[in-house]
């Protein structure tokens, strides 16, 4: 070990969850460091469609009420404020793909769904929808961000606080933890696991039992010079969207659509060839006016991870574990700032205040100043 570091908080995992928590902790005055094993965002963040969900997918299932409905509304509103004005977390440098998503159907919307749209008040009819959409079309105020620009923004803001390297436990007791990172001995007052699917293995290393489950998806990438910019959910009746489409710019002259929704959920058991055939059939049914004759198709397998309680119930945000090691979960991208709220609240509850000693400042020579961002999987 070449240097001993004693930050207030050490975060392990450099996706959106870890970087947003890092930003909020530093803003609140805490000395915080983040460790990423490979490149920032290389797990779930790199595979996200970038939609800041504010409840539409739940509204498709039934009336949107209760505490989680409010969580999503508040979270999405905060993102919009931060993207536009930087009021709480300055995200004005993050690229916004779209400030809304469209909702369309291959047939008439069900009367029950139209009633829920009217009661909610946020879905609005689109008077002049894109020419390739037939029938009624609604818009819903869910922004779609470029997750890679968000990673770059927060990386550049906190370069001197980010390590790249493996984490090796040195010692863990009921009230202290010490790890080795990139040749340094790091003894934080609290250690936060923000590595998504990696939380379970990290917890085992550090003596924390982490209960989680993996929810696989089989996503589809479509490339064609003819694909227009488009972000939306295609529904059939009620329930999960049959198809979720996001556009991620041009790569080598070709527009790129990233397809999720029920297609990706039900495609888990399909081979790549079967999933591509299913995607073509779904596009022909849901978007018959889009020509895909010359398009190129690929698939991506993605593992989402979410925590579970002992009774098997799922939840959306959690900071679990006894001090000094916590596992942190925002199941949705949009909930990352709400996770940071929970972290700050728990630090307050445990009497952890920002360090006032100048020695807590970390020398810039101890971190990797050229931390890489994961490559977009569809750009390869």
């Amino acid at each position: 070990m070449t240097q001993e570091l004693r930050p207030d908080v050490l975060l392990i995992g450099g996706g959106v969850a870890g970087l947003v928590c890092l930003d909020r902790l530093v803003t609140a005055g805490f000395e915080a460091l983040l460790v990423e094993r490979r490149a920032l965002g290389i797990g779930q963040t790199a595979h996200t469609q970038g939609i800041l969900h504010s409840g539409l997918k739940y509204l498709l299932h039934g009336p949107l009420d209760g505490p989680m409905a409010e969580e999503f509304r508040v979270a999405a509103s905060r993102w919009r404020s931060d993207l536009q004005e930087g009021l709480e977390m300055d995200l004005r440098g993050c690229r916004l793909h779209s400030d809304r998503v469209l909702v369309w159907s291959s047939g008439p919307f069900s009367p029950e769904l139209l009633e829920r749209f009217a009661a909610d008040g946020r879905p609005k009819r689109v008077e002049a929808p894109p020419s390739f959409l037939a029938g009624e079309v609604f818009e819903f105020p869910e922004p779609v961000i470029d997750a890679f620009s968000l990673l770059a923004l927060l990386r550049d803001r906190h370069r001197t606080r980010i390590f790249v390297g493996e984490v090796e436990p040195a010692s863990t007791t009921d009230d202290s933890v010490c790890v080795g990172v990139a040749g340094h001995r790091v003894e934080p007052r609290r250690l936060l696991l923000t590595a998504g699917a990696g939380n379970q293995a990290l917890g085992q290393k550090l003596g924390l039992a982490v209960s989680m489950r993996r929810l696989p998806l089989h996503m589809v990438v479509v490339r064609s010079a003819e694909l227009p910019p488009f972000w939306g959910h295609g529904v059939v009746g009620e329930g999960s969207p049959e198809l979720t489409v996001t556009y991620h710019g041009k790569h080598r002259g070709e527009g790129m659509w990233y397809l999720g929704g029920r297609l990706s959920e039900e495609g888990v058991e399909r081979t790549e060839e079967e999933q591509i055939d299913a995607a073509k059939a779904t596009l022909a049914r849901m978007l018959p006016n889009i020509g895909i004759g010359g398009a190129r198709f690929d698939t991506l397998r993605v593992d989402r991870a979410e925590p579970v309680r002992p009774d098997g119930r799922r939840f959306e945000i959690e900071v679990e574990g006894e001090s000094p090691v916590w596992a942190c979960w925002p199941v949705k991208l949009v909930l990352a700032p709400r996770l940071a709220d929970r972290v700050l609240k728990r630090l307050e509850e445990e009497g952890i205040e920002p360090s006032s000693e100048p020695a807590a400042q970390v020398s810039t020579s101890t971190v990797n100043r050229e931390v890489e961002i994961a490559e977009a999987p569809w750009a390869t």
Side-chain angles (χ1 to χ4, degrees):
M1 303 289 181
T2 61
Q3 185 175 354
E4 187 168 294
L5 306 174
R6 296 179 179 273
D8 296 320
V9 179
L10 176 67
L11 301 109
I12 305 177
V16 166
L19 286 166
V20 166
C21 286
L22 175 67
D23 189 79
R24 291 285 305 284
L25 285 163
V26 172
T27 300
F30 288 94
E31 290 300 332
L33 296 175
L34 182 144
V35 183
E36 169 54 51
R37 185 161 60 95
R38 291 174 289 176
L40 297 176
I42 202 164
Q44 288 180 228
T45 298
H47 293 86
T48 181
Q49 289 188 281
I51 300 172
L52 298 175
H53 294 288
S54 60
L56 173 62
K57 292 178 73 173
Y58 297 90
L59 188 62
L60 295 174
H61 285 269
L64 187 63
D65 52 23
M68 280 314 303
E70 186 61 20
E71 286 273 15
F72 279 101
R73 287 192 178 98
V74 169
S77 176
R78 288 171 63 179
W79 275 94
R80 283 191 289 272
S81 296
D82 290 341
L83 288 164
Q84 295 168 6
E85 304 171 63
L87 295 181
E88 183 176 37
M89 188 167 56
D90 191 352
L91 301 181
R92 287 173 292 179
C94 176
R95 181 183 175 193
L96 185 67
H97 283 312
S98 177
D99 61 0
R100 61 177 185 165
V101 294
L102 300 183
V103 187
W104 85 99
S105 178
S106 59
F109 286 99
S110 71
E112 294 79 10
L113 183 56
L114 291 175
E115 287 181 10
R116 292 202 294 273
F117 279 3
D120 184 90
R122 288 176 294 171
K124 305 294 183 185
R125 278 189 172 85
V126 178
E127 299 301 328
S131 59
F132 56 84
L133 293 180
E136 280 189 300
V137 179
F138 289 81
E139 64 179 25
F140 196 80
E142 290 187 334
V144 187
I145 64 167
D146 178 347
F148 296 93
S149 73
L150 176 61
L151 292 172
L153 175 70
L154 296 176
R155 184 271 311 268
D156 292 346
R157 184 177 299 165
H158 299 294
R159 282 181 183 272
T160 61
R161 298 178 179 273
I162 300 173
F163 287 94
V164 173
E166 295 283 348
V167 174
E168 296 298 336
S171 64
T172 303
T173 67
D174 290 342
D175 55 8
S176 70
V177 61
C178 181
V179 297
V181 181
H184 301 286
R185 180 183 174 87
V186 186
E187 189 172 349
R189 298 161 76 187
R190 295 294 180 267
L191 187 150
L192 277 54
L193 306 181
T194 55
N199 278 358
Q200 193 167 57
L202 286 166
Q204 290 174 350
K205 275 188 174 184
L206 297 165
L208 175 66
V210 176
S211 298
M212 57 164 262
R213 62 184 170 190
R214 296 175 185 267
L215 301 175
L217 297 173
H218 199 175
M219 306 291 288
V220 178
V221 178
V222 188
R223 298 179 177 88
S224 170
E226 307 302 319
L227 292 177
F230 177 56
W231 302 267
H233 300 288
V235 301
V236 177
E238 300 185 50
S240 300
E242 183 80 2
L243 181 68
T244 296
V245 180
T246 50
Y247 177 82
H248 294 265
K250 284 189 176 289
H251 301 272
R252 300 186 180 98
E254 295 179 310
M256 202 286 295
W257 277 6
Y258 195 30
L259 308 183
R262 196 177 300 155
L263 169 70
S264 64
E265 295 166 358
E266 296 179 351
V268 170
E269 301 300 324
R270 300 185 187 118
T271 65
E272 180 178 10
E273 183 177 346
E274 291 170 341
Q275 181 68 339
I276 289 173
D277 287 342
K280 290 178 178 178
T282 302
L283 287 170
R285 184 174 66 254
M286 300 297 299
L287 293 169
N289 297 323
I290 288 288
I292 59 171
R296 297 188 298 119
F297 286 75
D298 293 293
T299 70
L300 295 170
R301 292 192 180 271
V302 181
D303 257 349
R304 296 171 296 167
E306 65 177 29
V308 291
R309 291 190 172 100
D311 60 8
R313 288 184 300 149
R314 61 178 294 187
F315 47 97
E316 305 286 356
I317 313 172
E318 185 67 10
V319 178
E320 61 173 335
E322 299 301 321
S323 298
V325 182
W326 305 341
C328 302
W329 307 89
V331 173
K332 300 290 186 187
L333 171 68
V334 70
L335 295 175
R338 298 289 284 165
L339 171 65
D341 291 344
R342 299 277 182 95
V343 167
L344 289 167
K345 181 179 180 181
R346 184 158 174 188
L347 288 170
E348 181 182 6
E349 291 171 348
E350 297 197 3
I352 304 295
E353 297 181 350
S355 175
S356 59
E357 299 179 9
Q361 292 287 340
V362 178
S363 167
T364 59
S365 64
T366 68
V367 297
N368 185 334
R369 297 178 61 86
E370 299 301 326
V371 183
E372 294 183 353
I373 304 292
E375 186 175 21
W378 52 78
T380 57

